[in-house]
Amino acid sequence: QVQLVESGGGLVQAGGSLRLSCAASTRTFSRYAMGWFRQTPGKEREFVAAITRSGASTYYADSVKGRFTISRDSAKNTYLQMNSLKPEDTAVYYCAAGTVAVTIPNYDYWGQGTQVTVSS
């Protein structure tokens, strides 16, 4: 069982930055690929970024490429650095853990989500 807790969401003006964090409670963190997804009311959960178990490879949605960076550390944290934020980035952001870094929401464990609101 893996528990994930996101933090770092909030309200920011367009063009600003936020860093989301995801803390994992598992002894086997290195066995999991990690992903970030986001969701707005009435829409399906959307892929944002993913990172492999080793951290050697990362993947991004076209809409965030060049603005967002996913990373992980040995202390069982996964981060999403978000720069040049746009109002359309407003969503609840979810952290996820799974066996493979994929761009679909086929992950085994999910956090509770953190709200990101970007004002224009």
Side-chain angles (χ1 to χ4, degrees):
Q1 189 74 12
V2 178
Q3 292 186 329
L4 303 172
V5 179
E6 301 99 333
S7 61
L11 174 65
V12 64
Q13 289 187 334
S17 298
L18 281 175
R19 188 174 86 151
L20 304 184
S21 299
C22 173
S25 62
T26 174
R27 296 180 181 180
T28 56
F29 179 66
S30 62
R31 296 182 185 178
Y32 293 95
M34 302 297 296
W36 285 98
F37 288 76
R38 64 188 182 188
Q39 191 169 22
T40 53
K43 293 189 177 181
E44 294 186 352
R45 200 161 290 190
E46 175 191 24
F47 169 74
V48 176
I51 188 167
T52 56
R53 289 176 287 181
S54 67
S57 296
T58 56
Y59 308 92
Y60 297 94
D62 288 342
S63 59
V64 307
K65 203 170 293 182
R67 300 188 298 122
F68 291 11
T69 302
I70 187 172
S71 62
R72 63 191 295 165
D73 63 25
S74 58
K76 307 176 187 178
N77 298 306
T78 305
Y79 304 99
L80 185 68
Q81 178 66 43
M82 305 187 295
N83 299 328
S84 302
L85 282 161
K86 304 175 181 179
E88 50 264 44
D89 294 319
T90 295
V92 176
Y93 283 71
Y94 296 90
C95 173
T99 54
V100 181
V102 294
T103 61
I104 57 175
N106 189 29
Y107 286 74
D108 299 309
Y109 304 99
W110 292 84
Q112 82 289 349
T114 186
Q115 176 71 46
V116 171
T117 303
V118 184
S119 63
S120 56

